[in-house]
Amino acid sequence: MRRLFDRVFCGNDEMYAKAEAALAEAVAKYGADHVMKMPDTAYNCAIILQYTGIKVETLGDLQKAMEAIKNDWMPRKQSTQAIFFSGFATAMAAQVIEACKYVENPAPYGTGDDRQYWGHMTDAEVRELGVPLVTEDIPGFVVLIGPAPSDEEARDTIKGYQSRGIFVFLIGGIIDQARRMNITMDFKVRVVPVGPEIWHAAHIVDLVMRAAMIFGNVQPLDYWAMNTYTLERIRAFINAYKPVPDIVVGAGACCIALGFPVVTNDHEDVHVVPKSLVIYDNTQDWIDASLEARDIKIKVTTMDIPIAFNTAFEGEVIRAKQMKFDAYGATQDCFELVQMKDASEIEDHKITVIGPDFDTVTEENKRSFQLAYIAEVCGKTMQSDFESVFERKFHSWINCLEGVMHTGQREQIRVRVSNAAFDAGLRAKHIGEVLYAKLKNEYDTVIDKVQVTVITDPETITKLKNEVAMPAYHKRDARLATLTDESVDVFYTCTMCQSFSPSHVCIVTPERLGLCGAVSWLDAKATNQLNPNGPCQIVSKEGCVDETVGIWPDVNRAVNQYSQGHLEKVTLYSLFQDPMTSCGCFECICGMEPASMGVVIVDRSYPGSTPLGMSFAELASMTGGGQQTPGFMGHGKQFIGSKKFMRAEGGLARIVWMPSALKAEVADSLNAAAKDLYGIENYVDMICDETIAGSADDLDKMIEFLNEKNHPVLGLEPFDM
């Protein structure tokens, strides 16, 4: 039997030789000075950056990296460290192979529906993982290196992991098996066909490196910090079907060094390493064996429904040709509602359907089908303020149904059910079963009883919408309008992101929700009542030091305590003076723009550049990981329309540029706030966007635009930095 050392070293040598050949070909064709940039990332070639410290900007930098890999990371000693070092060398060489492809073509694997493989994952995609990882909607990651013994087993394994919420990366022939079995593959549904060869795994390791840098503030060359972070905070593992050649063994050494166990059914020259390299012959039982090896426990919510339910299906898109029906609140009456009731009014687990069921839908009425549902809840500690908190969860819960798509809220919902879900047996009562099970499961300390009514009868829907739902929404809106930072007695911490960003603490107020956009003051209040010892702790507001800047002694004490001493103080309304920290999953980032003495705001979904000459990814790389970065701040979209936004520096009048899509999204709240503050109508029309200035080269155009619009920033004093 060949020794594990020899197999790792041989695999490393093989990958390195392939990288040498690929790089030599690229340099011969383009020259060493040719630019080398992976798309939409501020951490170019993150594996190489992390372990060599080389910032790759040209093909010549890749040549330097190859020298560093050879000299520093390919020892041939009989030691565990030599195996781990060679594993990282294998991953870095694999990254060189893949990087050379992006020199020639920024989308070497296609785009859109023609995308054959996923390849490189953007910073935006990495950041999208932040919230579901923190909430454990994604409890872990698996890399399947195939093919599996049969197409059917490949399907069952992929779907089995997906149904448990595990994010699935596919390498090799298992991708073709998944295609033959008609499995939907996309980043949004958490099944990603990375590429056909083992060197494509570099894209997965690169994602891991960037996650540690973005969320954990791990710095390049900090070998132990990186490996500790991946071991403790990124729960990943590998399933490698036999045969496992040397080059895969070499890559596997990198995974094991990062703390990711490998499960295989190959006995040929494979050495068992307890808890790290596991031989398990029955591949059909790999799911349970792998979860146990990585100590991942899956929380299961039992519900009587005929289709799969999991967060992996939240990103599923139901096309028109796939749908059984489309219930659309913008074209006909539809709504969703939670109402608090007295216990005597509710029969627990009573599901009522009023109107025709889904099997009455025809080709003629599938676009005019109407749907509404009301969940009535009661509990000794239930409060009416929690109604909207629970109601907002309907969006994600219904999207977790395989073959069902939900958008919108309140009376503007849209629910599409696919033919496949209908054929599997999905009917109206199952919507009620999902809402019942999730409300009772997730809010059991507040909710004692739940009954759900699902309505499809058009007359009943219209009557209930007008007489029950709309008055309830209006009452809530009036209540929310009174919720300002001044009107409440307490704020809340949110430390959910500390599982990935250990020193970050959000202070959540009525006007400043969590920077991820997912935790409002009411959410934090409900979370505190559900779990008094959990991530949302009460912060008193006594003894305000400075209302304009937003300084409270108890806020400072809270951030110092819950950041374990990493932070001493924060302000709530300043960009420059002790700004709130960022974890990495923020919706937007705000950065100072010196020429106008204003600020640029860009959201995570915008891929282009800004007048600062940096994209979202590049701006975001300057903050995050629980660090305070004066002049740059991560925040939620809702905060943009708050009168407290950057109040210490002049407030909303400082906003000079935003992407047009973001402007449209926040227009109502921003316009209303600007009118109250400055008497300006349609303020968003005075804010520049990418149609006028899309890069640093367009800075003069932006300044000209601001002058034409007489933007209020022109009357403000320069930043006091």
Side-chain angles (χ1 to χ4, degrees), residues 363-398:
E363 189 66 27
E364 288 70 32
N365 73 348
K366 70 178 184 180
R367 290 186 178 275
S368 57
F369 191 73
Q370 291 177 237
L371 180 65
Y373 32 91
I374 302 172
E376 296 171 312
V377 301
C378 69
K380 293 178 182 178
T381 59
M382 177 66 190
Q383 300 178 26
S384 58
D385 276 349
F386 296 163
E387 290 175 341
S388 60
V389 175
F390 301 158
E391 201 174 284
R392 284 198 302 274
K393 297 290 286 184
F394 287 4
H395 170 71
S396 60
W397 292 343
I398 293 174

Side-chain angles (χ1 to χ4, degrees), residues 42-55:
Y43 306 90
N44 201 34
C45 296
I47 315 173
I48 292 170
L49 174 63
Q50 175 60 35
Y51 291 111
T52 71
I54 295 172
K55 295 181 179 180

Side-chain angles (χ1 to χ4, degrees), residues 483-488 490-491 507-513 521 540-541 544-552 555-556 569-581 590 599 628 631-635 638-652 654 719:
L483 278 180
T484 63
D485 289 1
E486 291 82 8
S487 70
V488 298
V490 298
F491 298 147
I507 299 295
V508 181
T509 81
E511 295 181 74
R512 182 171 188 163
L513 79 174
W521 185 84
S540 74
K541 295 175 50 192
C544 180
V545 174
D546 191 320
E547 289 186 356
T548 300
V549 179
I551 301 174
W552 283 267
V555 168
N556 289 334
K569 52 189 176 180
V570 299
T571 64
L572 300 189
Y573 312 136
S574 176
L575 182 67
F576 287 99
Q577 183 179 339
D578 304 317
M580 196 181 296
T581 62
C590 170
V599 295
Q628 287 180 315
F632 296 87
M633 177 178 67
H635 57 85
Q638 183 226 37
F639 193 40
I640 299 172
S642 168
K643 296 175 185 177
K644 305 297 193 303
F645 183 78
M646 278 183 55
R647 186 166 68 175
E649 286 82 29
L652 305 179
R654 292 283 186 187
F719 284 126

Side-chain angles (χ1 to χ4, degrees), residues 42 57 60 83 89 239 337 414 571 630 642 690 707:
E57 296 177 339
I83 286 179
N239 289 172
L337 182 68
R414 185 173 200 169
T571 64
S642 168
E690 77 280 6
N707 278 290

Side-chain angles (χ1 to χ4, degrees), residues 109-124:
Y109 302 114
T111 58
D113 293 339
D114 296 326
R115 192 170 188 171
Q116 187 179 14
Y117 302 109
W118 210 262
H120 171 74
M121 287 157 264
T122 67
D123 282 2

